[in-house]
Amino acid sequence: MAMTGVLRPGHAQLRVLNLEEGVRHYRDVLGMVETGRDAQGRVYLKCWDERDHNSLILRESDRAGIDFFAFKVLDEATLDKLERDLQEYGLTTERIPAGELMETGERVRFEIPSGHKIELYATKTQVGNGLQVTNPAPWTPAAEKGIAPVRLDHCLLYGPNIAEVKKLFCEVLGFYLVERVLGPDGEGEAAIWLSCSHKVHDIAFVEHPEPGKLHHLSFLLESWEEVLRAGDILAMNKVPIDIGPTRHGITRGCTIYAWDPSGNRFETFMGGYQPYPDYEPTTWTFDGLGEGGGLDYPQRKLHESFLTVVT
Amino acid sequence: MAMTGVLRPGHAQLRVLNLEEGVRHYRDVLGMVETGRDAQGRVYLKCWDERDHNSLILRESDRAGIDFFAFKVLDEATLDKLERDLQEYGLTTERIPAGELMETGERVRFEIPSGHKIELYATKTQVGNGLQVTNPAPWTPAAEKGIAPVRLDHCLLYGPNIAEVKKLFCEVLGFYLVERVLGPDGEGEAAIWLSCSHKVHDIAFVEHPEPGKLHHLSFLLESWEEVLRAGDILAMNKVPIDIGPTRHGITRGCTIYAWDPSGNRFETFMGGYQPYPDYEPTTWTFDGLGEGGGLDYPQRKLHESFLTVVT
Amino acid sequence: MAMTGVLRPGHAQLRVLNLEEGVRHYRDVLGMVETGRDAQGRVYLKCWDERDHNSLILRESDRAGIDFFAFKVLDEATLDKLERDLQEYGLTTERIPAGELMETGERVRFEIPSGHKIELYATKTQVGNGLQVTNPAPWTPAAEKGIAPVRLDHCLLYGPNIAEVKKLFCEVLGFYLVERVLGPDGEGEAAIWLSCSHKVHDIAFVEHPEPGKLHHLSFLLESWEEVLRAGDILAMNKVPIDIGPTRHGITRGCTIYAWDPSGNRFETFMGGYQPYPDYEPTTWTFDGLGEGGGLDYPQRKLHESFLTVVT
Amino acid sequence: MAMTGVLRPGHAQLRVLNLEEGVRHYRDVLGMVETGRDAQGRVYLKCWDERDHNSLILRESDRAGIDFFAFKVLDEATLDKLERDLQEYGLTTERIPAGELMETGERVRFEIPSGHKIELYATKTQVGNGLQVTNPAPWTPAAEKGIAPVRLDHCLLYGPNIAEVKKLFCEVLGFYLVERVLGPDGEGEAAIWLSCSHKVHDIAFVEHPEPGKLHHLSFLLESWEEVLRAGDILAMNKVPIDIGPTRHGITRGCTIYAWDPSGNRFETFMGGYQPYPDYEPTTWTFDGLGEGGGLDYPQRKLHESFLTVVT
């Protein structure tokens, strides 16, 4: 198969300070579909055009942030193989039983050197995207409830040791480096964008002293006009916006960053180009992140909060 | 690697009745970049955002149509392996020496049961997309010369035995079925859309008695507004349009079909969703192709020329 | 005042063969807001961003078509003056009492040489556009119910004597000619687009032997992406489309034409430039209407139905 | 005539610190067409889709800012009448001879209570928009050189006594109030948006102690996608951006503000609704300008520079 191994981001479990407030945000403002609640009280959501049962799990906690971020792999044999590969690479892996997350098969969990918990899984119940199976329409009314992104697209995580993280993702999990920001001294990498597909990012990391931090979960829109609409809807709901609407120089994506009621940053974005593993990675100097337009291409400046506020 | 094997469409060699007329069309109207001419007189072009040396080769002939369509594979080892796999599957393969096409490594060529010549190759000189390597801008002035698609995206080929073609692409080359149209009797497949990535199509086939026929080469735009602009530019240049602008029900793509001066159909399109190999294929009934909106979603009708005119 | 006299299209009374079917179409598919029903059984609707009580009145009849098309004028003094001007010009005018149409003041009605009934009025109750009066949001949820145009924009009427109609609109009502199509022999005008503002058309006429015919009522959208969405919604509701999505050469507008359940054509469109009365009118030859791209710029062809089907 | 009196903004004379630098900015980055230079060394430009000879005149000076802002009126009789009306209202008017500005007829100049010089004129040579006169295409290659707005749309001026300015524009020149921001104490108007058409603004004023100041000249784009492109082009040319891309709550317009090389602010924007003189003006509280989203709807905040930096 040409698409093998790790397919795509599958789910993220996010900690929110108040569950119902979080549900209202992700369901009514962001416009995800609530698909279930479990005995632990966790709430499951998916984007309208996702076919699997869930991509976002909200867990109430006294501390915001991310519990784990998971990738769907091709099949159970792939899951077994990647688990062995991770163990051979020296990582400790843990099997989470099927059903611990609703409608989700066994997961292989491991902690990466940046302090984040990553999961792999092969099975999640397909519930469909609400379109008829034969001769489908291109979208449903759910595509216009709230911001209504089509999918959970990627996340950006902050933590230490991202050189080791890159090595792990590239050598064991089959990712490749798409873009990177060099350190202030021109050496090392301060930030990396990694892909397991032809997306500009399936996951990204910024070097940061504190382990296990979440910078943002990102949700995909389909046009720049939908980004404008997202900004309107966020403002109508008084959701505080961090940056945007604007275009990133990095990845060329067009974006708005904002904060959920618990202070977790999320992104609604569109665009970017489509890289392949044979492409030379694009390099940004540290200055390029700011005045070079890496973060905010039109404004060509850094936004302090982008570098410092994480959960 | 998660993206392995066959990566993407790499090049197509197209026959045109008058070379300079063809060059004017693809370079000045479609807006591709001319990157070379060889001793045989063939002209090489690429889309502005493609990084490899060429994706379209024009060859003058007294008969329009396609000579071959090629896919880039991950590396030379992959090329060797896929060549062996094809041979084991029972196909005859031919090695075309490096350099036979400009700036292109060895190619493995084989004929598929629909009568088309398909090629695989691992190496083509990277000439870049005209952006600076460090801290790049999101686009260049070349992105606005002519219609200026970002890449050669896929092709649709007409020929017999597409059930066998599907088997070959899926079992040997790692593609998967994304969408299909059933035959008029509800049995068999009249048309198939195949992906080796998370694009809705890297190649597609329609069952047709004559072998080796080209329906269209397709070039990717980045927004519906660019499709409108493409229509304007085609009209300004009196390029005859077949269908569009409109949206396909199939793949959800938004499109214009038109004919080059030799009568080869080409498409400029944007959009569509992003499938993965774990998705259930979408099925269209034969009626669904017409009144179900498969071909022309707003108009919900067949266009006679779409089913009959090929080169 | 710089904007004086006739301000804009105000309302149209349309005949539908089945009232509830018509209401379902204009309210649920087109997405207008129902604002009232009167003792005669007529149904009143407005576009979400219109502030006056109604812009479309549906009347059940055994014959489709338009009863009258009305313009709002600046104030009652203007209404009186224009009534006198019309009478001095030689037309018979009729005063329709206030309240005959819901929430609408006195109307001055007259028949023009093409056989259409035109009305002027100065007063209609302002019901607002659903946004808060102070610190309003840019749009409301109603802006996404159905196609949801922002306003009734113009109409195109078919009938005889359009040279006389032009004279009347320009000399008495303060309109000016924006674009025109010459007759097949290069003489006379086969079609005229007239403006009382800086819109490309507030009303348009095509020379046609039968008097009093409606070609289409037109509703304004705000982007080309909304035209695509309109096409999707029409298809989802199996509304038959006449032409589009496409761009007109004439006016540069981007459009879809379709038919309501009674066979009345309507248009959802966006764009076009903004002319002023000091502009030279744009002239299209009769051939220019077809192969010159006047009607369908990308396709550069006539659509038979456009010239022949009216109600 | 329905469009009478003052038609639209016609020209602005802008002071730049270095003429060639200014020309490079407005011609090569903003993408206006240079149409002439006069004996005084002034440079004349127009937007591609404007038909009159010029809309922007650059004059080199040691001080940035605006010399005068002019409106085109319907004809010479209107000019004479408005001159008399202004004099009767108590203003001193000055006749500037035809030809003092290239290809421009006599101008009536007067100073308004905010300390700005305003001009009216009826005649400017029509040079066309570069499209063929018969059967025109919808745009020309000039529509894609630089940012390429379609027209000079409006200006925002800062100065004292805007209550008097409003009275003058509304009572003598036929404008009407479209939107306004109340003063911090909820009394008086801190800012007003005035229209002589169905644009959301033909001119706007902010109460400010220093007379005769320019906040920005504004140029019209046709889509939100063109606003994104404008931001890209500004960044590619290292033009410093003040605000945007974003949407205003006030007028609903979607915008980028930036500074020319002399520090004069300019805006490239699209959108907004279309008001008429019978509409109730929209009112913003002073807080509404900031946290109410009046200035920056998604961000719901004031930008300090917007309130303080003028030339």
Side-chain angles (χ1 to χ4, degrees):
Chain A
M1 266 241 158
M3 292 284 298
T4 56
V6 179
L7 294 182
R8 64 175 179 272
H11 60 246
Q13 182 165 307
L14 195 67
R15 296 187 300 271
V16 293
L17 304 180
N18 178 301
L19 189 67
E20 288 313 316
E21 202 176 49
V23 171
R24 273 198 302 277
H25 175 78
Y26 286 99
R27 185 190 58 203
D28 300 340
V29 180
L30 195 59
M32 297 181 79
V33 180
E34 184 181 329
T35 54
R37 301 195 176 207
D38 68 17
Q40 289 184 39
R42 292 180 299 186
V43 179
Y44 295 70
L45 303 116
K46 68 182 277 290
C47 295
W48 77 269
D49 202 24
E50 290 175 321
R51 303 192 183 190
D52 288 349
H53 179 270
N54 60 73
S55 59
L56 181 67
I57 302 105
L58 302 182
R59 181 173 74 84
E60 192 168 84
S61 168
D62 56 5
R63 193 169 53 97
I66 189 165
D67 283 335
F68 47 79
F69 190 80
F71 294 93
K72 190 172 194 186
V73 303
L74 185 62
D75 52 23
E76 296 292 341
T78 301
L79 186 65
D80 293 345
K81 180 179 184 314
L82 287 170
E83 183 181 32
R84 285 194 305 274
D85 292 347
L86 286 163
Q87 290 167 350
E88 280 170 26
Y89 190 77
L91 268 77
T92 304
T93 65
E94 179 187 6
R95 280 263 170 174
I96 315 290
E100 195 277 335
L101 279 183
M102 282 179 72
E103 306 292 339
T104 305
E106 278 196 307
R107 293 127 65 204
V108 170
R109 182 185 292 172
F110 52 101
E111 187 172 317
I112 58 174
S114 58
H116 299 92
K117 288 191 171 55
I118 301 293
E119 296 184 349
L120 306 178
Y121 69 95
T123 304
K124 201 181 287 267
T125 306
Q126 294 210 8
V127 296
N129 57 4
L131 298 171
Q132 57 269 43
V133 171
T134 301
N135 304 345
W139 46 276
T140 76
E144 296 188 323
K145 282 191 188 133
I147 294 173
V150 287
R151 71 170 181 224
L152 171 66
D153 187 83
H154 66 273
C155 69
L156 172 55
L157 304 175
Y158 273 43
N161 308 314
I162 69 167
E164 288 173 50
V165 168
K166 181 173 95 170
K167 192 167 184 296
L168 166 66
F169 270 86
C170 294
E171 294 186 9
V172 185
L173 298 174
F175 286 62
Y176 62 97
L177 180 68
V178 179
E179 304 214 5
R180 61 184 186 148
V181 177
L182 300 180
D185 53 0
E187 281 169 33
E189 288 165 350
I192 53 174
W193 285 259
L194 301 171
S195 180
C196 61
S197 62
H198 48 90
K199 291 163 57 184
V200 277
H201 33 30
D202 284 298
I203 194 164
F205 293 92
V206 166
E207 185 76 33
H208 183 75
E210 259 185 310
K213 289 298 176 182
L214 171 68
H215 187 274
H216 69 267
L217 290 181
S218 184
F219 298 89
L220 184 66
L221 301 176
E222 295 191 292
S223 71
W224 175 232
E225 198 160 309
E226 289 191 2
V227 174
L228 176 64
R229 179 179 172 277
D232 289 340
I233 291 175
L234 293 172
M236 288 172 188
N237 289 281
K238 298 205 164 47
V239 176
I241 288 181
D242 182 15
I243 301 179
T246 193
R247 183 204 284 278
H248 292 305
I250 295 168
T251 76
R252 302 184 195 165
C254 298
T255 183
I256 294 177
Y257 290 107
W259 283 287
D260 78 9
S262 304
N264 294 304
R265 193 190 282 96
F266 64 96
E267 181 186 30
T268 55
F269 88 108
M270 60 77 59
Y273 59 97
Q274 293 187 49
Y276 280 87
D278 61 328
Y279 277 31
E280 287 289 316
T282 292
T283 297
W284 296 81
T285 60
F286 196 80
D287 285 351
L289 181 61
E291 65 194 53
L295 174 56
D296 187 335
Y297 190 67
Q299 299 258 352
R300 287 183 171 281
K301 70 174 184 193
L302 280 180
H303 296 248
E304 178 65 13
S305 61
F306 191 88
L307 295 186
T308 55
V309 179
V310 289
T311 55
Chain B
M1 266 242 160
M3 291 284 297
T4 57
V6 177
L7 294 183
R8 65 175 177 272
H11 60 246
Q13 182 164 308
L14 196 67
R15 294 188 301 270
V16 293
L17 303 180
N18 177 299
L19 189 66
E20 289 313 317
E21 205 176 46
V23 170
R24 272 196 303 276
H25 174 78
Y26 286 98
R27 185 190 59 204
D28 301 341
V29 179
L30 195 59
M32 298 182 79
V33 181
E34 184 181 329
T35 54
R37 301 195 177 208
D38 68 17
Q40 289 184 40
R42 293 180 298 187
V43 179
Y44 295 71
L45 302 116
K46 69 183 276 290
C47 295
W48 78 269
D49 202 25
E50 291 174 322
R51 303 193 182 188
D52 288 348
H53 180 269
N54 59 75
S55 59
L56 181 67
I57 302 105
L58 302 181
R59 180 172 74 84
E60 193 168 84
S61 168
D62 56 5
R63 193 170 54 97
I66 190 165
D67 283 335
F68 47 79
F69 190 79
F71 293 92
K72 193 173 193 186
V73 303
L74 184 63
D75 52 25
E76 295 292 340
T78 301
L79 185 65
D80 294 345
K81 179 177 185 315
L82 288 170
E83 183 180 32
R84 284 193 307 273
D85 292 347
L86 287 162
Q87 290 168 350
E88 281 170 26
Y89 190 76
L91 268 77
T92 305
T93 64
E94 179 188 5
R95 278 264 169 174
I96 315 290
E100 195 277 334
L101 279 183
M102 281 179 73
E103 306 290 341
T104 305
E106 279 196 306
R107 292 127 64 203
V108 169
R109 182 186 292 174
F110 52 100
E111 189 172 315
I112 59 174
S114 58
H116 298 93
K117 289 191 170 56
I118 301 293
E119 297 184 348
L120 307 177
Y121 69 94
T123 305
K124 202 182 285 268
T125 306
Q126 294 210 7
V127 297
N129 58 3
L131 298 171
Q132 57 269 41
V133 172
T134 302
N135 303 345
W139 47 276
T140 75
E144 296 188 323
K145 283 191 188 133
I147 293 172
V150 288
R151 71 172 181 224
L152 171 65
D153 188 82
H154 66 274
C155 68
L156 172 56
L157 304 176
Y158 271 46
N161 308 313
I162 69 167
E164 289 173 49
V165 168
K166 181 174 97 169
K167 192 165 185 297
L168 167 65
F169 270 86
C170 294
E171 295 186 8
V172 186
L173 298 175
F175 286 62
Y176 62 97
L177 180 67
V178 179
E179 305 212 4
R180 60 184 187 148
V181 177
L182 300 180
D185 53 1
E187 281 169 34
E189 288 164 352
I192 53 174
W193 285 258
L194 301 172
S195 180
C196 62
S197 62
H198 48 89
K199 292 162 58 184
V200 276
H201 34 30
D202 284 299
I203 194 163
F205 293 91
V206 166
E207 186 76 32
H208 183 75
E210 259 186 311
K213 290 297 176 181
L214 172 67
H215 187 275
H216 69 267
L217 290 181
S218 185
F219 298 90
L220 183 66
L221 301 176
E222 295 190 292
S223 71
W224 175 233
E225 196 160 309
E226 289 191 4
V227 174
L228 176 63
R229 179 180 173 275
D232 289 339
I233 291 175
L234 293 172
M236 288 173 189
N237 289 282
K238 300 203 163 44
V239 175
I241 287 181
D242 183 15
I243 301 178
T246 193
R247 184 204 285 277
H248 292 306
I250 296 169
T251 75
R252 304 185 195 164
C254 298
T255 182
I256 294 177
Y257 290 106
W259 283 287
D260 79 8
S262 303
N264 294 303
R265 194 190 281 94
F266 65 96
E267 180 186 32
T268 55
F269 88 109
M270 61 76 59
Y273 59 96
Q274 294 187 49
Y276 280 86
D278 60 329
Y279 278 31
E280 287 290 317
T282 292
T283 295
W284 296 81
T285 61
F286 196 78
D287 285 351
L289 181 61
E291 65 195 53
L295 175 54
D296 187 335
Y297 190 68
Q299 299 258 349
R300 286 183 173 278
K301 69 174 185 192
L302 279 180
H303 296 249
E304 177 66 14
S305 60
F306 190 88
L307 295 186
T308 56
V309 180
V310 290
T311 55
Chain C
M1 266 242 160
M3 292 284 297
T4 57
V6 178
L7 294 182
R8 64 176 178 272
H11 60 246
Q13 182 164 307
L14 196 68
R15 295 188 299 271
V16 293
L17 304 181
N18 178 299
L19 189 67
E20 289 315 315
E21 203 176 49
V23 170
R24 271 198 301 278
H25 174 78
Y26 286 98
R27 185 190 58 202
D28 299 341
V29 180
L30 195 59
M32 297 181 80
V33 180
E34 184 181 330
T35 54
R37 299 194 178 209
D38 67 18
Q40 289 183 38
R42 293 179 298 186
V43 178
Y44 295 70
L45 303 115
K46 67 182 279 290
C47 295
W48 77 269
D49 202 25
E50 291 175 320
R51 303 193 182 188
D52 288 348
H53 179 270
N54 58 75
S55 59
L56 181 68
I57 302 104
L58 302 181
R59 180 171 75 84
E60 193 168 84
S61 168
D62 56 5
R63 192 169 55 96
I66 190 165
D67 284 334
F68 47 80
F69 190 78
F71 293 93
K72 191 172 194 187
V73 302
L74 185 61
D75 51 24
E76 296 291 342
T78 301
L79 185 64
D80 295 344
K81 180 180 184 313
L82 288 170
E83 183 181 31
R84 285 194 307 274
D85 292 347
L86 287 163
Q87 290 168 349
E88 280 169 26
Y89 190 77
L91 268 77
T92 304
T93 64
E94 179 188 6
R95 280 263 170 174
I96 315 291
E100 194 277 335
L101 278 183
M102 282 179 73
E103 307 291 340
T104 305
E106 278 195 307
R107 291 128 65 204
V108 170
R109 182 186 291 174
F110 52 100
E111 188 171 316
I112 58 174
S114 57
H116 298 93
K117 289 193 172 53
I118 301 293
E119 296 182 349
L120 306 178
Y121 69 94
T123 304
K124 201 181 283 270
T125 306
Q126 294 210 8
V127 297
N129 58 4
L131 298 171
Q132 58 268 43
V133 173
T134 301
N135 304 346
W139 47 275
T140 75
E144 296 188 322
K145 281 190 189 134
I147 293 173
V150 287
R151 71 170 180 224
L152 170 66
D153 187 82
H154 66 273
C155 69
L156 172 56
L157 304 175
Y158 272 44
N161 308 313
I162 69 167
E164 289 172 50
V165 168
K166 182 174 96 170
K167 192 166 184 297
L168 167 66
F169 270 87
C170 293
E171 294 186 10
V172 185
L173 298 175
F175 286 62
Y176 61 97
L177 180 68
V178 178
E179 305 213 6
R180 60 183 187 150
V181 177
L182 300 180
D185 53 1
E187 282 168 34
E189 288 166 350
I192 53 174
W193 285 259
L194 301 172
S195 180
C196 61
S197 62
H198 48 88
K199 290 162 58 183
V200 277
H201 33 31
D202 284 298
I203 194 165
F205 292 92
V206 166
E207 185 75 31
H208 184 74
E210 259 186 310
K213 289 297 176 181
L214 171 68
H215 187 276
H216 69 267
L217 290 181
S218 184
F219 298 90
L220 183 66
L221 301 176
E222 296 192 292
S223 72
W224 175 232
E225 197 159 309
E226 289 190 2
V227 175
L228 176 64
R229 179 180 173 276
D232 289 340
I233 291 175
L234 294 173
M236 288 172 187
N237 288 281
K238 298 205 163 45
V239 176
I241 288 181
D242 182 15
I243 301 178
T246 193
R247 184 205 282 278
H248 292 305
I250 295 168
T251 76
R252 304 184 194 165
C254 298
T255 183
I256 293 177
Y257 289 107
W259 283 287
D260 78 8
S262 303
N264 295 303
R265 194 190 280 96
F266 64 96
E267 181 186 31
T268 56
F269 88 108
M270 61 76 58
Y273 59 96
Q274 294 187 48
Y276 280 87
D278 61 328
Y279 277 31
E280 287 289 317
T282 292
T283 297
W284 296 81
T285 60
F286 195 79
D287 284 352
L289 181 61
E291 64 195 52
L295 175 56
D296 187 334
Y297 190 68
Q299 298 258 353
R300 287 183 172 279
K301 69 174 184 192
L302 280 180
H303 296 248
E304 179 65 15
S305 60
F306 191 87
L307 295 186
T308 55
V309 179
V310 289
T311 54
Chain D
M1 266 243 158
M3 291 284 298
T4 57
V6 177
L7 294 182
R8 65 175 178 272
H11 60 246
Q13 182 164 306
L14 196 67
R15 294 187 302 270
V16 292
L17 303 180
N18 177 300
L19 189 67
E20 288 314 316
E21 205 176 45
V23 170
R24 271 198 302 277
H25 174 78
Y26 286 98
R27 186 190 57 203
D28 300 341
V29 180
L30 195 58
M32 298 182 79
V33 180
E34 184 181 329
T35 54
R37 300 197 177 206
D38 69 16
Q40 289 183 39
R42 293 179 297 187
V43 179
Y44 294 70
L45 302 117
K46 68 182 278 292
C47 294
W48 78 269
D49 202 24
E50 291 174 321
R51 303 193 183 189
D52 289 348
H53 179 270
N54 59 74
S55 59
L56 181 67
I57 302 104
L58 301 181
R59 181 172 74 82
E60 192 168 84
S61 167
D62 57 5
R63 194 169 54 97
I66 190 166
D67 283 335
F68 48 80
F69 190 78
F71 294 92
K72 192 173 193 185
V73 303
L74 184 62
D75 52 24
E76 295 293 340
T78 301
L79 186 65
D80 294 345
K81 179 177 186 314
L82 288 169
E83 183 181 31
R84 284 194 306 274
D85 292 347
L86 287 162
Q87 289 168 351
E88 281 169 24
Y89 190 78
L91 266 78
T92 304
T93 64
E94 179 188 6
R95 278 263 169 175
I96 314 290
E100 195 276 335
L101 278 183
M102 282 180 73
E103 306 291 340
T104 304
E106 278 195 307
R107 292 128 65 203
V108 170
R109 182 186 292 174
F110 52 100
E111 189 172 315
I112 59 174
S114 58
H116 298 93
K117 288 191 172 55
I118 301 294
E119 296 184 350
L120 307 178
Y121 69 94
T123 305
K124 201 181 285 270
T125 306
Q126 294 208 9
V127 298
N129 58 3
L131 298 172
Q132 57 269 39
V133 172
T134 302
N135 302 346
W139 47 276
T140 75
E144 295 188 323
K145 283 191 186 133
I147 293 172
V150 287
R151 70 170 182 225
L152 171 65
D153 187 82
H154 66 273
C155 69
L156 172 56
L157 303 176
Y158 271 46
N161 307 313
I162 68 166
E164 289 172 50
V165 167
K166 182 174 95 169
K167 192 166 184 296
L168 166 66
F169 270 86
C170 293
E171 295 187 8
V172 185
L173 299 175
F175 286 62
Y176 62 98
L177 180 68
V178 179
E179 305 213 5
R180 60 183 186 150
V181 178
L182 300 180
D185 53 1
E187 282 168 34
E189 288 166 349
I192 53 175
W193 284 258
L194 302 172
S195 180
C196 61
S197 63
H198 48 89
K199 293 162 58 185
V200 277
H201 34 30
D202 285 298
I203 195 164
F205 292 92
V206 166
E207 185 76 31
H208 183 73
E210 259 186 310
K213 289 298 176 182
L214 172 68
H215 187 274
H216 69 267
L217 290 181
S218 184
F219 298 90
L220 183 66
L221 301 176
E222 296 191 292
S223 72
W224 175 234
E225 197 160 310
E226 289 191 4
V227 174
L228 176 63
R229 180 180 173 275
D232 289 340
I233 291 175
L234 293 173
M236 288 173 187
N237 288 282
K238 299 203 162 46
V239 175
I241 287 180
D242 182 15
I243 301 178
T246 194
R247 184 204 284 276
H248 291 305
I250 295 169
T251 78
R252 304 184 196 164
C254 298
T255 183
I256 294 177
Y257 290 107
W259 284 287
D260 79 8
S262 303
N264 294 303
R265 194 190 279 95
F266 64 97
E267 181 185 31
T268 55
F269 88 109
M270 62 75 60
Y273 60 96
Q274 295 187 48
Y276 280 87
D278 60 329
Y279 277 31
E280 287 289 317
T282 292
T283 296
W284 296 81
T285 61
F286 196 80
D287 285 351
L289 180 62
E291 63 195 53
L295 175 56
D296 187 335
Y297 190 68
Q299 299 258 351
R300 287 185 174 275
K301 69 175 183 190
L302 280 180
H303 295 249
E304 177 65 16
S305 60
F306 190 87
L307 295 186
T308 55
V309 179
V310 289
T311 56

